[in-house]
Amino acid sequence: MELREETRDKAILLIDKLYNENDLRDEDLLWLLDNMNKKEKEYMFSLSKKTRDKYYGKNVYLRSLIEFTNYCKRECIYCGINAYNKKANRYRLTKEEIVEACKNGKSLGYNTFVLQGGEDPYFTDEKMCEIIKEIKRIDPNCAITLSMGERSYESYKALKDSGADRYLLRHETSNPDYYKWLHPKSVLDTRVECIKNLKKLGFQTGTGIMVGLPGYTNKDYVRDLRFIKTISPEMVGLGPFITHKDTEMREYKSGDIDTTLTILSMVRLLLPKVLLPATTALASIAENGRKAGLDVGSNVIMPNLTPVEYRGDYMLYNSKKSSGSESAQALNMIKNELDSFGYICNMSRGDSKMCVE
Ligand code: SF4
């Protein structure tokens, strides 16, 4: 009995230390992951929410997501649009369609456009730079986020020089052996180098992981948390692993919401000013997934403004949540929903407080 009380005291002590110092020794993070009970997790969630409120208030930043190509040369074994999935219905948006989607987003009030795609060699630097410049012509003050995988330093530089502001490149796992299994023909070191190059070039950089990968251990999560803390990205995209029926990981179990919320909460506490989306994957595994993410400290959502005719083909995993967010009516629904949760829909550029202060 006494020992149990000591354990409970230790949990609260460590959670408070994480909240106050925004860091913990690796062994303490591991101890928390191994030992926290439901009540203690709820306590940690309340502190990560409080941390988000301290820097961002109740603001939830809306980004318009445009999935512009589902061609991909890579073979990530968990992904529904990897190169070897012959069943995927491939599409590419034209430059005009991408720009039109951004114009539509701008008319709805969006000020950040996230261009996300597979690693598609069709989109050369020349084509991408043209697209970026064209979007900036709609509004020079808007923010452009790119998420299109690994490229050379020179390529990232060209994209930056053309006006791209942010780049998302999740590392997915910082366990090198696990990374190799998930990404045949790729190595973690290359990924990390790309992330460092993006930082060096002045991109607001995002990285992140999948939570609930088969056989993943709490030690792996601690390694990921330490990696994220050390890299200190402006954004962290973090969602549950969800299986896709046409991949070799189809038989595995998907990640669960509880573990995802726990890791989200710890990221917020380790990096208090980070921009932390409540991801579509999170919304896809549980009815209340998005709200639950916001309630542990997330502060970004990315409504999908990809033209409707392509949207069903960007299937990285099964049961991906989708809605007709391209209309003013749908946007009002999002605003009303956020309002009912007690949050404020913020459609400004929403730069990370890590770079504006
Ligand atoms: S996860 Fe990204 S890089 Fe990997 S196959 Fe899917 S789209 Fe391509």
Side-chain angles (χ1 to χ4, degrees), residues 72 74 76 78-79 81-82 118:
C72 189
R74 287 173 56 113
C76 312
Y78 50 86
C79 177
I81 61 167
N82 66 30

Side-chain angles (χ1 to χ4, degrees), residues 2-146:
E2 202 179 308
L3 188 66
R4 250 187 258 143
E5 273 172 21
E6 266 177 30
T7 305
R8 304 293 52 107
D9 287 351
K10 180 172 175 181
I12 299 299
L13 204 92
L14 288 178
I15 294 167
D16 282 340
K17 191 170 159 65
L18 178 57
Y19 170 68
N20 288 320
E21 298 176 13
N22 303 123
D23 207 354
L24 267 190
R25 294 180 311 173
D26 287 359
E27 60 260 45
D28 292 334
L29 286 169
L30 182 61
W31 190 93
L32 279 180
L33 286 172
D34 285 342
N35 292 289
M36 267 187 298
N37 65 21
K38 191 166 180 284
K39 219 166 135 202
E40 287 147 5
K41 274 188 191 170
E42 274 163 13
Y43 178 60
M44 182 174 79
F45 294 166
S46 74
L47 293 185
S48 54
K49 187 178 180 182
K50 194 168 159 188
T51 303
R52 186 270 323 278
D53 289 353
K54 184 172 165 193
Y55 294 102
Y56 293 100
K58 296 292 180 199
N59 288 292
V60 174
Y61 298 96
L62 258 61
R63 323 296 202 193
S64 82
L65 175 67
I66 297 147
E67 293 162 335
F68 68 99
T69 173
N70 72 351
Y71 282 86
C72 189
K73 65 179 186 191
R74 287 173 56 113
E75 300 177 6
C76 312
I77 63 168
Y78 50 86
C79 177
I81 61 167
N82 66 30
Y84 67 76
N85 183 9
K86 301 291 172 244
K87 291 186 187 158
N89 217 356
R90 304 287 171 177
Y91 73 88
R92 273 186 197 110
L93 266 59
T94 62
K95 180 178 96 175
E96 290 70 26
E97 285 174 315
I98 296 171
V99 173
E100 201 45 47
C102 293
K103 277 188 187 156
N104 177 37
K106 184 68 201 172
S107 70
L108 292 170
Y110 286 93
N111 286 292
T112 289
F113 305 105
V114 182
L115 305 191
Q116 182 163 284
E119 285 196 20
D120 182 355
Y122 172 85
F123 284 99
T124 57
D125 293 345
E126 200 187 342
K127 287 198 178 81
M128 283 314 297
C129 291
E130 250 184 66
I131 291 168
I132 292 163
K133 285 178 191 158
E134 196 74 29
I135 297 171
K136 286 280 174 165
R137 262 179 231 127
I138 303 171
D139 175 5
N141 297 317
C142 73
I144 299 178
T145 306
L146 301 174

Side-chain angles (χ1 to χ4, degrees), residues 316-331:
L316 306 187
Y317 47 82
N318 290 341
S319 313
K320 184 178 163 194
K321 196 175 167 101
S322 177
S323 65
S325 350
E326 70 289 347
S327 68
Q329 196 191 7
L331 180 60

